Structures are given as C-alpha cells and as structure tokens.
C-alpha cells in the first residue's frame, strides 16, 4: 500500500518516452472531440435509412439527451458542413456528412466483426465497438480486418 498520495507510480511495462506518451494523449483528445460529431452523423444516417427522415426529437430520444443539447450539437454540425436543416424540419446530411457517416459505419463494422470473432457476446461487442471505432488507428483497423478475413 502506498501512503504518499503525491508519489508517482511507474507505469507497468511502459517503456515509451514522455514525448511519445504525450503524443498518444493528444491523439485520444482529438478522437474525443470528433466522437460526438461522428455519433450524430451515424445516427442521422441510420434514422434517414430506417424512417425516411431524421428529426431532432428522434435524435434526442436515441441519444438520451435533451432537445436543447441536440439543437446545440446540430448547430455545430451545420457550421462544420456536415448537415443541413431548416427550423422545424428534418435534418439532412451533406455530402461530407454522408461520407463521414459511411466511414464511421465501416470502422464500426470492422471492430464489431473483430470482437465477435474473438468470441465476445453480441451485446458487449456492439457496446465496445461503439467506443473503440472512434479511437482505433487505420493500421490497427487494417489488422482487425485482416484477422477477421482469416478466421
């Protein structure tokens, strides 16, 4: 047991330099910033596909957030060129938004298939894939896809 709350414990088997670790932290923060936009465009694409339209109320229900939270995020997505919308109307993905949604779905499917191939149950695999898809590197994603195609 460690009595000194200020003591810095060494990382277990982490031989990375502080600069390399800082770079990894920066990458995670960048992924977190884009994660919300990716989740929204992916959900909007799914709603359009299944319901023929994406409405803010449906997004709020599916995301488990309030209407004002959805409105704020939709404003940001519109500023970023990912969606278009008019007041009291459905939401539409721009070409850029559709491309991002397609990319997110592709990453999600690869990660999901990888986790399932490891023997993880479908519910856990789906939940974990939702988080991993935003943080996985292209190289790791390629390795996941290769692994799944061989198994």
């Amino acid at each position: 047991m460690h009595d000194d709350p200020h003591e810095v414990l060494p990382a277990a088997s982490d031989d990375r330099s502080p600069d390399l670790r800082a770079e990894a932290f920066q990458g995670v923060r960048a992924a977190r910033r884009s994660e919300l936009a990716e989740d929204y465009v992916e959900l909007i694409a799914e709603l359009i596909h299944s319901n023929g339209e994406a409405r803010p109320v449906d997004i709020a229900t599916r995301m488990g957030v309030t209407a004002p939270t959805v409105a704020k995020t939709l404003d940001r997505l519109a500023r970023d060129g990912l969606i278009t919308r008019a007041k009291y109307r459905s939401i539409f993905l721009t070409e850029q938004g559709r491309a991002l949604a397609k990319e997110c779905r592709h990453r999600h499917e690869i990660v999901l298939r990888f986790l399932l191939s490891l023997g993880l149950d479908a519910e856990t695999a789906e939940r974990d894939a939702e988080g991993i898809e935003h943080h996985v590197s292209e190289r790791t994603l390629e390795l996941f896809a290769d692994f799944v195609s061989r198994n």
Side-chain angles (χ1 to χ4, degrees):
M1 179 158 187
H2 300 281
D3 295 325
D4 182 0
H6 302 298
E7 178 182 5
V8 177
L9 300 176
S13 70
D14 191 349
D15 296 332
R16 297 178 297 167
S17 73
D19 288 342
L20 188 56
R21 292 196 63 205
E23 185 179 311
F25 293 148
Q26 289 169 2
V28 168
R29 283 195 304 279
R32 284 186 186 139
R33 281 192 296 274
S34 65
E35 189 172 346
L36 185 64
E38 291 174 359
D39 283 345
Y40 267 72
V41 297
E42 195 174 359
L43 176 57
I44 291 167
E46 289 172 11
L47 287 169
I48 290 170
H49 178 75
S50 63
N51 301 343
E53 66 178 349
R55 301 175 314 150
V57 66
D58 297 326
I59 294 169
T61 299
R62 287 279 204 75
M63 296 291 263
V65 298
T66 64
T69 298
V70 170
K72 180 180 173 185
T73 304
L74 293 177
D75 287 344
R76 185 179 131 223
L77 295 177
R79 280 193 311 274
D80 291 347
L82 298 171
I83 66 163
T84 59
R85 67 188 178 120
K87 200 169 186 109
Y88 308 114
R89 301 276 323 265
S90 294
I91 301 145
F92 302 95
L93 293 171
T94 63
E95 187 70 33
Q96 182 182 351
R98 283 190 297 278
L100 179 59
K102 184 177 178 182
E103 177 188 332
C104 292
R105 191 78 214 140
H106 178 70
R107 284 194 322 252
H108 182 89
E109 288 300 322
I110 291 172
V111 173
L112 179 63
R113 287 194 315 263
F114 175 74
L115 295 174
L116 290 170
S117 73
L118 294 177
L120 199 57
D121 66 277
E123 184 179 331
T124 304
E126 182 66 42
R127 190 174 46 249
D128 289 351
E130 186 55 46
I132 294 169
E133 74 183 60
H134 301 289
H135 299 273
V136 67
S137 71
E138 287 302 315
R139 179 66 184 130
T140 301
L141 202 59
E142 288 172 15
L143 291 172
F144 283 5
D146 288 346
F147 179 87
V148 170
S149 70
R150 288 191 313 267
N151 294 302

